[in-house]
Each structure stands twice: as C-alpha cells, then as structure tokens.
Amino acid sequence: MTIQINLDVMMAKRKIRLKTLAQIVGITEQNLSILKNGKAKAVRFSTLDKICEALGCQPGDILAYDVEPED
Amino acid sequence: MLNIQKQSRRVRLCLQILFPLVPLAVIYFWLTTQTQFDILTSAGIVQLDFDIESLTQSPLSNITRLLAILASLLVSGIVLYALSILIRLFRNYENGEIFSAENATCYHRLGYCLFYWVAGSVIYGGLISVILSFNNPPGERVLSLSFVGMDFLTIVFGLLVLIISWVMKEGYKISDENSHTI
C-alpha cells in the first residue's frame, strides 16, 4: 500500500490512548485499531475530521503517500 | 435484519426436519408401493414421473424394491446435498451474515446442484426403468431415458442461481469494503 497511516505516531506525540481517541471520535476501538494498523480500505471525511480535531493536527500528519510501495 | 434472522430460523428448522425425512420417505415408499400401506401415493405426497405398473408385469420383488431404494437414494443424495447447503445458508442468515463469501459459495453450489439434479434425474429415469422391468421376460425389458421441458427449465433456473451467486460475490466485496471503511 502506498498510503501510510501515521496515526500511531501522532497518538504517541499527543500522548493519547486508543481507547480515549476512539471515545472522542465516536468509533469503536476495533475500528480505530483497523485504521491505525493500516488495514482500513477507506476513511470517511467525518472520521478524519474528528481525528484531526482530537489530535490537533492536519490530515497530512496522519496520512502520508509513500513513493516506494512496500512489497 | 431481525426479521430476516427470525424467518431464516424458521426456514432452517423446516429444512432440518425435512433432511432426515427425505431418505426415510424414499425407503418407505419403495417398501410399501403396490401394497395397502402405501400412504405416500394415496395421499398424493409422492407423484412419480413414470408408471410402475407399465414398467413391470409382475409384483415387485424384494430385490427390485432394494435396487429401487438404492437408485432413488442416489438421486436423493443430490436433494440432501442441496438441503445441507440451504441449512448452512439460512444458519448464516440467522447469525446475521448476509453478504459473506461463504453465502456466495452456497449460492454457487446450489446452482450446480440444479444441474446435478437434471443429470441425476435423466440417469435415474434410465436406471429405474431397467430395475423395474428387469423381471419382465426377455424382449420386454425397458431402458427409458427422458429429457422433458421441466429439465430444461431446471437448467435455466440453475443458470439464474449461478448469476445470483455472482451478484452475491459482488455484494460480499461491497460489504467487505464497507466494513473496512472507518
């Protein structure tokens, strides 16, 4: 996958736990974990909006385009 | 969703009751046909495509009955296979799994079951005609193979079920994508 999810990095920077973020965003821990581990196939704008609001960051801080795809 | 689960449970229970009844009915029919205990024919539950009396000139012997049971059980195997698939399908519906890969496979197998049924019924028709007429004098034994309009319709129906299985596969892909959309 060429799109990398840096949610764990941002969560570590903000020192916020998965459970807390899931509660703020309003999604299940399981779904947030899917997103964090890069297993998600799509992200809703509404979810992205809430994550950015909760972490005080930009979408680009969470999502990054990897030029060289992983094998 | 709750309605699907409720109705699926009912259908599954009916199918599970029917499952052991099919082979039992086959055995009971061939053991009692042409006797006073043949309730299945007199009640109109069983209607054969062929006429037993026209195929055999003498009363059915025990060997004939046994061979007819074996031949009928072979073709009933297709029905039992289809029933087992339906039971699995409705159990999945009962558990709330509507668009799953397993359900798509179930539909695919059901479609093929209809093709097997047509092939099986053609072979069965030939087999049963030989079994029933085997006790006739030489020259009056019959091998009857038939392919009727209903068989053609069954093939068309099988094709429809196969198309539905492809639709279900696409449904599963959409459902999977939806479940991975956060």
Side-chain angles (χ1 to χ4, degrees):
Chain A
M1 194 168 166
T2 53
I3 298 289
Q4 273 195 336
I5 309 286
N6 297 321
L7 186 62
D8 47 353
V9 178
M10 280 312 294
M11 281 168 67
K13 278 183 185 171
R14 300 288 185 264
K15 289 176 184 163
I16 191 165
R17 293 176 68 189
L18 190 83
K19 192 179 177 182
T20 318
L21 185 62
Q23 279 172 350
I24 296 168
V25 175
I27 59 172
T28 61
E29 259 183 88
Q30 194 190 4
N31 276 347
L32 194 60
S33 179
I34 289 171
L35 181 62
K36 191 170 75 89
N37 297 325
K39 305 278 184 203
K41 289 188 178 175
V43 187
R44 288 192 185 91
F45 278 129
S46 56
T47 311
L48 196 60
D49 185 67
K50 282 175 190 166
I51 291 171
C52 287
E53 192 186 336
L55 297 175
C57 64
Q58 292 298 313
D61 297 327
I62 301 164
L63 306 172
Y65 177 69
D66 192 4
V67 183
E68 287 182 26
E70 286 174 23
D71 289 327
Chain B
M1 187 74 163
L2 204 68
N3 201 27
I4 295 174
Q5 287 171 319
K6 207 163 62 182
Q7 297 303 331
S8 296
R9 185 180 156 76
R10 284 180 188 159
V11 174
R12 182 188 54 87
L13 285 172
C14 288
L15 292 171
Q16 274 186 330
I17 293 166
L18 198 66
F19 192 84
L21 287 180
V22 171
L24 287 175
V26 166
I27 294 167
Y28 178 80
F29 171 77
W30 283 110
L31 288 178
T32 60
T33 189
Q34 290 187 337
T35 65
Q36 55 181 351
F37 303 108
D38 186 10
I39 305 162
L40 294 175
T41 312
S42 56
I45 298 167
V46 172
Q47 287 174 329
L48 295 173
D49 296 336
F50 50 89
D51 185 23
I52 297 172
E53 278 79 17
S54 68
L55 286 168
T56 182
Q57 291 172 2
S58 51
L60 294 175
S61 66
N62 287 342
I63 296 290
T64 308
R65 285 179 196 276
L66 190 71
L67 289 172
I69 287 172
L70 287 174
S72 302
L73 282 178
L74 277 175
V75 80
S76 300
I78 301 166
V79 179
L80 293 178
Y81 178 57
L83 280 175
S84 70
I85 294 167
L86 281 170
I87 289 168
R88 197 183 316 158
L89 182 71
F90 282 100
R91 185 175 286 133
N92 287 345
Y93 285 161
E94 202 182 315
N95 295 332
E97 294 171 31
I98 309 293
F99 294 106
S100 68
E102 197 189 348
N103 287 1
T105 313
C106 283
Y107 276 100
H108 195 76
R109 285 179 183 160
L110 275 175
Y112 274 104
C113 266
L114 290 165
F115 299 145
Y116 299 151
W117 173 254
V118 173
S121 59
V122 170
I123 295 166
Y124 174 72
L127 205 61
I128 205 76
S129 65
V130 170
I131 291 167
L132 292 176
S133 64
F134 203 73
N135 287 336
N136 291 350
E140 288 182 37
R141 289 167 187 162
V142 182
L143 169 63
S144 145
L145 293 170
S146 65
F147 185 87
V148 290
M150 196 61 202
D151 294 328
F152 179 73
L153 270 178
T154 310
I155 289 174
V156 172
F157 192 59
L159 282 171
L160 285 175
V161 176
L162 269 187
I163 293 168
I164 290 170
S165 82
W166 297 331
V167 172
M168 292 299 286
K169 261 181 201 159
E170 290 303 312
Y172 159 67
K173 281 180 196 167
I174 294 166
S175 170
D176 184 51
E177 203 170 279
N178 192 42
S179 68
H180 282 88
T181 299
I182 313 298

